[in-house]
Amino acid sequence: MVAESLGSYDLTQLENVLSDLAALAANQSTRPEFNGKPQLIHDIAINLQNGTSTVQFQCLRVLGNICADNNVNRDLVMQDEVFAQALKSSLTAPGVQNKTIKNTSIIVAFNFCNDYKSAQRYLIDNGFVTVFFDLLDQLHDEDISEYIMRILEMLVLNESISEHALPPSALHSIIQAIDHSCIAEYSILITTVLSYNSFRLRAIEDNQFDLRKLCALYEILAQSVEAEDNYDALKDILGALADISGIDGFIDKVSWDHDLVQLWRHWILKDGSGSGICSLRTAGLTVLGNLALNEDACIKAVHDLRLHKDIIGAVVIMSSAPELHAAAGFLKNLAISQANKRFLVEANAFAAVKKIINKDISPQVVFSGLSVLRQLVINSYENARDLAKSNAENGILSRCLDIGQKSDEKALKIETGRLLCEFIRSTARLASSNELLSLLTGAFSNDIVQVKRLFEIILRLLVDQDQGSTFIPGTMTAWSLFAHHQEAKQLLVALLDERNDLTDRLRHLVENPQVSREVIMSIDAIFAVLDYPRNGP
């Protein structure tokens, strides 16, 4: 039988009664008997706050047991005005003699909030987040640290928490605690805390102590035998590193001559195919790729550090979608600068991109490769010319045509069209129509059907309902180039004749009042340069 209150017992009796109550609360069949006894809960909280250490310990046993997997009892505990302060006092009690009280209080807190959002919210609202981060700093016993970590995971993942509920030292406390455990166990805490911009900024302040330590611990896990079993944790930490490197001010704090840059560069060049090593390469590419988003840094990365050669060389050993995607993203960032385009091509960037777009690992990887090619040929006649000439050897343009024609992914078709538009516009800048047609047919071993395929892909892009307005004006350079070249003109007229669906779409766009005047004029120009009837034959 569970007592209604503890008011009538002396100290000796109280210890015995509390011990009996703890046993009743530990039994699932008798645990519900505590329901509806607010005075008893209040008396236990008062004794937890003011009793002897023996009484406090027994009170904690009772509270921990009644809260285990019982939401009714948890709600009852939350209604008591003393409980929060009593629990906080027992968690923060100073002195070695209070270690048992403190450790037991941690287990009580875990039982109280485990898988119960209302209880988690109660702890957040009553300032327990800072308390548990302080305990993470203080207590390094492996068993009790796991309870602290799991409590903090629940609290930081609760939707009611805000950035302001976290102490400024939260990231540092986590990083320091990992000395006593594997980083994988703390990956949720790390990524959640670093989802807040203020903590990403703190990671790169001063001497970047926390960032350095995070990188070192991540590298240890990635190269360990446990890497395969902790793929999700590696992925999470990689994402956190990417978030840090993507913030404003990163380039100001971590310059190219920083020793961290050499570490990330070392990651890119790691040999091996396991998920851990692939994760390391991806992290290095992602972080340095973000560092290269700055124009000056982008040029320095190529002209001074020759990082592009590291990336292009490393693509050969890459096998996973994330690292190939990251490599392409890095190359694209470098290729945006006009000063870098030629250096990348001379370092054999086309061969690296061919490997990337040949990998049917994911549409995102192929898209990234196409985007690199597009950046390389924008406003670069030499690169566009070399891309055409290299096709006979490596088939890179033919592969692009296959993607543009056969892919089921609309985004890939569009990006292929954008690439081909820029390719022709760049070659058209410095070549006559004869030279361009010769270049194109030469690229496809004098197979005019392949050239026709190229223009068909562009035409598809022109008439796409979503993308037409964006690309129709930009492709006029390519189409008007053939106005006075009879063979090319016949080729394009034949294409319009064969593809009635595309031709009809062009005519429909002209009649659509919602289409801009610029687009209508461009379509009219297409028909005019080809002497093709705008309103049908």
Side-chain angles (χ1 to χ4, degrees):
M1 183 70 179
V2 175
E4 294 292 330
S5 72
L6 301 177
S8 60
Y9 300 107
D10 61 27
L11 180 60
T12 302
Q13 293 173 318
L14 183 61
E15 291 177 4
N16 293 330
V17 170
L18 286 169
S19 180
D20 292 341
L21 289 174
L24 289 170
N27 189 318
Q28 285 188 339
S29 63
T30 54
R31 191 175 301 158
E33 293 182 23
F34 289 84
N35 299 351
K37 293 185 173 13
Q39 185 60 49
L40 176 62
I41 298 300
H42 181 70
D43 289 347
I44 293 171
I46 291 291
N47 280 282
L48 173 60
Q49 192 171 32
N50 302 320
T52 65
S53 58
T54 305
V55 168
Q56 287 178 327
F57 177 71
Q58 295 297 345
C59 288
L60 287 168
R61 286 185 61 214
V62 179
L63 290 170
N65 289 340
I66 67 173
C67 288
D69 302 319
N70 191 304
N71 292 344
V72 174
N73 286 345
R74 288 166 171 171
D75 290 337
L76 187 64
V77 168
M78 282 189 280
Q79 292 169 15
D80 186 78
E81 60 189 24
V82 180
F83 171 71
Q85 187 54 50
L87 180 61
K88 191 176 292 185
S89 297
S90 65
L91 285 168
T92 57
V96 176
Q97 66 273 23
N98 287 311
K99 181 180 178 181
T100 301
I101 297 295
K102 189 175 292 188
N103 289 353
T104 308
S105 300
I106 292 168
I107 297 171
V108 170
F110 175 81
N111 285 351
F112 172 65
C113 71
N114 187 35
D115 292 331
Y116 193 44
K117 291 187 180 296
S118 295
Q120 295 160 16
R121 194 157 49 244
Y122 175 88
L123 292 179
I124 293 168
D125 293 343
N126 283 280
F128 280 85
V129 177
T130 298
V131 171
F132 282 108
F133 270 110
D134 288 343
L135 289 171
L136 193 64
D137 272 336
Q138 298 168 19
L139 304 179
H140 298 147
D141 177 83
E142 185 174 333
D143 292 335
I144 207 66
S145 292
E146 183 175 350
Y147 278 105
I148 298 171
M149 178 190 67
R150 292 180 65 187
I151 291 169
L152 282 171
E153 277 183 8
M154 288 186 280
L155 299 187
V156 301
L157 289 174
N158 190 287
E159 60 270 14
S160 69
I161 198 168
S162 69
E163 183 175 358
H164 304 296
L166 300 171
S169 60
L171 178 64
H172 186 72
S173 297
I174 297 167
I175 297 297
Q176 288 295 87
I178 299 173
D179 267 346
H180 311 278
S181 187
C182 172
I183 189 173
E185 297 174 11
Y186 287 81
S187 62
I188 294 174
L189 273 180
I190 292 169
T191 54
T192 307
V193 169
L194 284 173
S195 67
Y196 297 112
N197 194 58
S198 64
F199 288 97
R200 294 198 289 267
L201 287 169
R202 287 190 182 97
I204 62 172
E205 287 176 353
D206 301 323
N207 196 34
Q208 297 87 39
F209 175 85
D210 291 333
L211 178 57
R212 292 167 183 270
K213 186 76 178 292
L214 179 61
C215 287
L217 292 164
Y218 168 67
E219 184 176 28
I220 290 170
L221 176 61
Q223 297 182 109
S224 71
V225 293
E226 289 85 18
E228 299 294 332
D229 295 332
N230 289 289
Y231 176 78
D232 289 339
L234 286 170
K235 184 179 177 182
D236 288 343
I237 299 164
L238 190 160
L241 290 173
D243 287 342
I244 293 173
S245 65
I247 62 174
D248 292 337
F250 183 71
I251 184 64
D252 298 323
K253 297 287 187 180
V254 184
S255 58
W256 280 119
D257 57 358
H258 203 289
D259 57 338
L260 275 173
V261 169
Q262 295 307 314
L263 173 66
W264 297 326
R265 189 174 192 171
H266 176 65
W267 288 357
I268 293 175
L269 299 173
K270 281 281 185 182
D271 198 5
S273 59
S275 62
I277 299 301
C278 290
S279 179
L280 267 186
R281 285 197 294 260
T282 306
L285 290 162
T286 303
V287 175
L288 292 178
N290 284 338
L291 201 58
L293 286 171
N294 175 284
E295 173 70 15
D296 293 335
C298 178
I299 295 172
K300 183 179 177 65
V302 171
H303 291 253
D304 295 347
L305 300 180
R306 300 290 192 268
L307 266 174
H308 61 298
K309 293 189 175 181
D310 291 347
I311 307 165
I312 291 167
V315 166
V316 175
I317 58 175
M318 293 180 188
S319 57
S320 70
E323 59 183 333
L324 287 166
H325 182 63
F330 197 166
L331 288 173
K332 178 186 175 183
N333 289 349
L334 295 177
I336 289 173
S337 170
Q338 196 66 30
N340 289 345
K341 294 180 189 292
R342 195 64 193 151
F343 281 83
L344 293 171
V345 171
E346 289 173 350
N348 213 15
F350 289 152
V353 174
K354 175 68 187 308
K355 177 177 174 63
I356 291 170
I357 64 176
N358 271 353
K359 287 279 187 180
D360 288 325
I361 297 176
S362 75
Q364 291 77 16
V365 170
V366 177
F367 184 94
S368 298
L370 293 171
S371 297
V372 177
L373 282 184
R374 182 168 60 83
Q375 286 296 337
L376 286 172
V377 300
I378 289 176
N379 297 324
S380 177
Y381 166 72
E382 292 86 356
N383 286 358
R385 177 201 62 201
D386 287 356
L387 178 61
K389 289 184 175 180
S390 69
N391 189 61
E393 178 182 341
N394 59 28
I396 188 168
L397 264 181
S398 298
R399 169 63 178 149
C400 292
L401 295 185
D402 285 342
I403 295 168
Q405 264 198 331
K406 300 175 183 178
S407 175
D408 294 329
E409 296 286 337
K410 184 177 181 180
L412 292 184
K413 290 179 180 291
I414 291 170
E415 189 64 11
T416 303
R418 295 176 71 191
L419 160 63
L420 296 176
C421 288
E422 293 295 349
F423 164 67
I424 294 182
R425 290 176 68 192
S426 293
T427 52
R429 294 178 193 279
L430 298 175
S432 69
S433 55
N434 284 334
E435 290 170 330
L436 179 55
L437 190 63
S438 175
L439 183 67
L440 291 177
T441 55
F444 298 107
S445 304
N446 296 317
D447 184 355
I448 199 71
V449 175
Q450 293 279 60
V451 181
K452 188 177 174 183
R453 273 213 306 165
L454 184 151
F455 280 103
E456 185 174 2
I457 291 170
I458 294 177
L459 183 58
R460 270 189 179 281
L461 188 66
L462 292 177
V463 302
D464 184 273
Q465 292 187 24
D466 300 325
Q467 302 293 329
S469 298
T470 304
F471 297 111
I472 286 177
T475 55
M476 275 312 301
T477 305
W479 287 85
S480 61
L481 185 70
F482 295 92
H484 305 294
H485 190 282
Q486 194 58 36
E487 184 180 0
K489 182 176 175 179
Q490 291 173 354
L491 172 73
L492 297 176
V493 168
L495 177 58
L496 290 173
D497 284 341
E498 290 175 16
R499 296 303 305 269
N500 288 333
D501 56 334
L502 302 181
T503 310
D504 289 345
R505 173 68 183 139
L506 281 176
R507 289 175 174 141
H508 176 73
L509 285 171
V510 172
E511 303 299 331
N512 189 341
Q514 295 182 340
V515 174
S516 70
R517 179 171 176 78
E518 183 183 18
V519 171
I520 292 173
M521 291 175 64
S522 297
I523 296 173
D524 280 341
I526 290 173
F527 287 129
V529 297
L530 298 177
D531 296 328
Y532 202 81
R534 168 179 162 174
N535 298 318

